Amino acid sequence: MTPQERARSRGPRGGDSDTRGDIVAAATRVFGEKGYAASSVREIARTAGVDPALVRHYFPAKSDLFVEVMRPLAENDERVVALLALPRERLGDGLLRLALDLWEDPVTGARMRAVLASAVSTHEVGAAMAGVMMRDLVLRLVREDRAPERAAACATQLTGLALGRYVLEVPPLATASRDTLSALYAPTLQRYLDGDLSG
């Protein structure tokens, strides 16, 4: 490596270069080939052509980078915007159907399975993904009173459904129609989002 290349690898790049994007692209490749546990920040940095310290500048923990690579949608995604625009009494159904859309999409569904599998075996991944899910989506939907409890209840309800339907394929959950799932889950989600939690 030349002195110029070494200098470039140690700090943010100038011009039109997207250092953060290069790191995410490299992480996508490495995680895809090796999985979470067998991947290292050093290898991701080498693949991106940057210093490991620069990776940690953008992503303090490996789990943060993994969640960034695997996250199913951005906080400003048009589907999130549409969900936020629904009347409050329809939020439970809207949240459920968005979750089903994400799990049944070939690309985002595969990412979410990878995250769920890693979260089961690695606590830091589960904690990081829960934080993203709460911050980017659920906390933006819930009523202000007891917001953290409401958001956590919604997140665990949806995670349990995903595990049963898409990973364990528990019958008849795995083959139930969306309308059937809405009748089962949407009222509970609606209560968590906007209902009375005192009972």
Side-chain angles (χ1 to χ4, degrees):
M1 180 181 283
T2 67
Q4 292 83 2
E5 288 172 328
R6 276 194 295 273
R8 183 177 71 99
S9 71
R10 288 179 180 145
R13 300 170 184 175
D16 296 326
S17 181
D18 178 12
T19 304
R20 189 179 188 279
D22 291 346
I23 292 169
V24 170
T28 301
R29 176 179 168 187
V30 174
F31 286 137
E33 291 174 354
K34 297 193 168 185
Y36 179 80
S39 301
S40 69
V41 169
R42 186 170 297 279
E43 181 175 8
I44 291 167
R46 185 168 57 249
T47 302
V50 300
D51 191 277
L54 190 56
V55 176
R56 295 188 184 93
H57 168 75
Y58 289 102
F59 302 97
K62 185 175 75 166
S63 57
D64 296 325
L65 181 52
F66 182 70
V67 168
E68 178 64 27
V69 167
M70 297 296 180
R71 72 195 308 167
L73 74 174
E75 62 179 305
N76 61 348
D77 187 286
E78 61 183 15
R79 293 166 292 184
V80 175
V81 174
L83 177 60
L84 291 168
L86 287 177
R88 291 209 62 79
E89 66 272 13
R90 291 179 51 202
L91 285 177
D93 180 71
L95 178 59
L96 174 69
R97 292 180 187 271
L98 173 58
L100 295 175
D101 285 344
L102 294 173
W103 274 97
E104 291 169 10
D105 180 271
V107 175
T108 60
R111 290 178 183 171
M112 292 168 77
R113 284 181 185 84
V115 170
L116 190 56
S118 296
V120 168
S121 60
T122 309
H123 171 73
E124 64 184 21
V125 173
M129 191 64 209
V132 168
M133 184 178 183
M134 302 272 272
R135 182 185 67 246
D136 288 359
L137 181 59
V138 188
L139 277 169
R140 300 168 70 187
L141 298 172
V142 297
R143 211 164 80 181
E144 289 185 4
D145 62 296
R146 300 174 67 179
E149 294 170 72
R150 292 177 182 277
C154 286
T156 53
Q157 187 81 8
L158 291 172
T159 302
L161 170 59
L163 183 64
R165 180 173 171 87
Y166 300 109
V167 180
L168 301 178
E169 298 184 358
V170 176
L173 197 61
T175 56
S177 70
R178 288 181 171 223
D179 289 341
T180 297
L181 293 173
S182 179
L184 286 170
Y185 285 88
T188 300
L189 289 170
Q190 185 66 36
R191 175 174 172 263
Y192 291 155
L193 288 166
D194 200 44
D196 182 7
L197 299 183
S198 61

